[in-house]
């Protein structure tokens, strides 16, 4: 359905461009990202990103239509609730069994992804003010997921010593953990709004838009493949942990993306040749 809407808008723009002023623009952007999900285990954290786009702007008096394509780099973060771990293991042949305990805290799951976006925006432009509203088709490419946390371990050697802490040689210590995996978010459709100021050069053959924009994803952008465990624990030698990004697990069932940022666009008017080559 959305594909037909996009095709219709583009065809109307091509038909109307003959009777309007046409502009070609390049727009760098910087923005913050926020991931909103339905899990009680997570807390949203601000991320950051940037991008570069090319735009075609058609203007008929005060009415403007903008279409184009953008490439963006997105760094998103979410904090995960602390995990308390406890395992019973055989420490050695000489000692009795050990209750191996761990606290995993300060966990942050981040993702670094590239995306291609196709915006279709309608609005109005006056002398020094413009307004745009529309939607952007957000095509996420495969990216990297990085999980970091702090692990504190201790053990209780049954019937012998008691609780043992701060003994690195026995595997009871404090250390940071970092794991990297792959992540691929699903396609998203994001309504967008942008408002800002219009700047001109002296000849008025080019102009600039400097504006603030906000976007919110309507679709569930969680990865389609979510079969990982939040923690993979290996007790063969002390406590070894491998963390998987929480959005690659079944612990979250919905994810919406939000973006707020600044866009600067410089436009050059697309004019026909000023001189007519005639044959008399």
């Amino acid at each position: 359905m959305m594909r037909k809407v996009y095709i219709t808008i583009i065809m109307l723009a091509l038909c109307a461009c003959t009777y309007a002023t046409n502009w070609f623009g390049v727009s760098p952007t910087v923005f913050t990202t926020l991931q909103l999900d339905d899990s009680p285990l997570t807390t949203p954290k601000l991320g950051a990103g940037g991008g570069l786009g090319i735009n075609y702007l058609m203007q008929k008096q005060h009415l403007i239509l903008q279409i184009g394509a953008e490439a963006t780099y997105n760094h998103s973060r979410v904090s995960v609730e602390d995990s308390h771990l406890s395992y019973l293991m055989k420490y050695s042949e000489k000692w009795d069994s050990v209750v191996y305990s761990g606290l995993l805290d300060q966990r942050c799951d981040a993702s670094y992804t590239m995306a291609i976006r196709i915006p279709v925006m309608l609005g109005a432009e006056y002398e020094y003010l413009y307004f745009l509203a529309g939607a952007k088709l957000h095509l996420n490419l495969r990216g990297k997921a990085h999980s970091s946390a702090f692990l504190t371990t201790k053990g209780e050697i049954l019937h012998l010593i008691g609780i043992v802490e701060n003994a690195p040689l026995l595997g009871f210590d404090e250390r940071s953990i970092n794991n990297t995996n792959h992540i691929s978010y699903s396609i998203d459709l994001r309504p967008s709004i942008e408002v800002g100021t219009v700047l001109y050069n002296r000849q008025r053959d080019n102009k600039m838009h400097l504006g603030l924009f906000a976007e919110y994803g309507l679709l569930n952008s969680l990865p389609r493949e979510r079969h990982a465990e939040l923690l993979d624990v290996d007790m063969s030698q002390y406590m070894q942990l491998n963390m998987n990004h929480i959005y690659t697990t079944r612990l979250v069932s919905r994810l919406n993306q939000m973006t707020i940022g600044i866009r600067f666009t410089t436009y050059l008017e697309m004019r026909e040749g000023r001189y007519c080559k005639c044959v008399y």
Side-chain angles (χ1 to χ4, degrees):
M1 178 64 184
M2 287 304 304
R3 183 180 179 183
K4 294 181 178 179
V5 173
Y6 271 82
I7 293 175
T8 301
I9 294 175
I10 292 173
M11 292 301 295
L12 290 174
L14 293 175
C15 294
C17 66
T18 308
Y19 307 99
T21 306
N22 303 294
W23 304 82
F24 174 79
V26 178
S27 56
T29 62
V30 292
F31 50 82
T32 60
T33 61
L34 196 64
Q35 295 182 310
L36 306 175
D37 59 58
D38 60 353
S39 174
L41 302 176
T42 62
T43 303
K45 299 185 70 174
L46 285 178
L52 183 65
I54 55 174
N55 304 287
Y56 162 72
L57 182 73
M58 183 191 72
Q59 182 174 1
K60 180 67 174 178
Q61 295 181 344
H62 295 303
L63 181 66
I64 56 177
L65 168 67
Q66 183 190 74
I67 58 176
E70 301 174 347
T72 63
Y73 175 79
N74 308 271
H75 173 212
S76 303
R77 304 187 304 156
V78 61
S79 64
V80 182
E81 190 177 65
D82 297 348
S83 299
H84 295 270
L85 310 171
S86 182
Y87 293 89
L88 181 65
M89 65 176 291
K90 189 71 174 178
Y91 191 80
S92 72
E93 296 297 332
K94 296 180 180 180
W95 293 358
D96 204 341
S97 297
V98 176
V99 177
Y100 209 118
S101 302
L103 172 62
L104 189 70
D105 62 349
Q106 303 178 38
R107 175 170 175 174
C108 179
D109 284 4
S111 59
Y112 306 84
T113 59
M114 296 291 295
I116 303 298
R117 300 165 4 138
I118 303 174
V120 175
M121 309 284 286
L122 285 169
E125 179 183 310
Y126 296 91
E127 186 67 16
Y128 295 105
L129 182 69
Y130 77 95
F131 169 82
L132 287 167
K136 297 181 180 181
L137 186 63
H138 193 95
L139 306 173
N140 289 292
L141 306 179
R142 191 176 186 184
K144 293 282 187 179
H146 180 263
S147 299
S148 61
F150 197 75
L151 176 64
T152 304
T153 58
K154 62 183 180 180
E156 182 180 359
I157 303 177
L158 303 179
H159 311 300
L160 184 59
I161 301 176
I163 297 178
V164 180
E165 298 179 274
N166 299 322
L169 295 178
L170 302 179
F172 308 126
D173 57 4
E174 299 178 354
R175 61 185 185 273
S176 60
I177 300 178
N178 295 274
N179 297 122
T180 301
N181 300 286
H182 292 288
I183 192 168
S184 180
Y185 294 107
S186 299
I187 189 173
D188 200 2
L189 181 64
R190 302 183 180 182
S192 177
I193 186 171
E194 181 177 341
V195 61
T197 184
V198 185
L199 307 171
Y200 299 93
N201 68 341
R202 292 183 179 180
Q203 292 77 22
R204 293 224 169 194
D205 57 354
N206 64 44
K207 63 181 178 181
M208 291 160 283
H209 283 181
L210 178 61
L212 180 68
F213 70 92
E215 304 168 4
Y216 182 79
L218 294 180
L219 305 182
N220 186 357
S221 59
L222 282 173
R224 294 180 180 178
E225 299 294 330
R226 304 196 311 277
H227 304 299
E229 296 292 335
L230 187 62
L231 288 173
D232 294 323
V233 183
D234 181 8
M235 298 298 297
S236 61
Q237 184 179 8
Y238 311 145
M239 182 182 288
Q240 304 295 325
L241 297 182
N242 181 68
M243 298 178 294
N244 298 299
H245 197 292
I246 191 169
Y247 294 151
T248 63
T249 73
R250 291 292 179 180
L251 298 175
V252 183
S253 59
R254 184 164 187 86
L255 173 64
N256 298 97
Q257 310 274 359
M258 186 174 181
T259 300
I260 299 175
I262 298 173
R263 175 178 288 105
F264 175 77
T265 308
T266 177
Y267 287 104
L268 180 65
E269 185 176 356
M270 301 168 60
R271 296 182 179 181
E272 297 181 359
R274 297 183 179 181
Y275 301 100
C276 179
K277 297 181 179 180
C278 303
V279 177
Y280 296 94

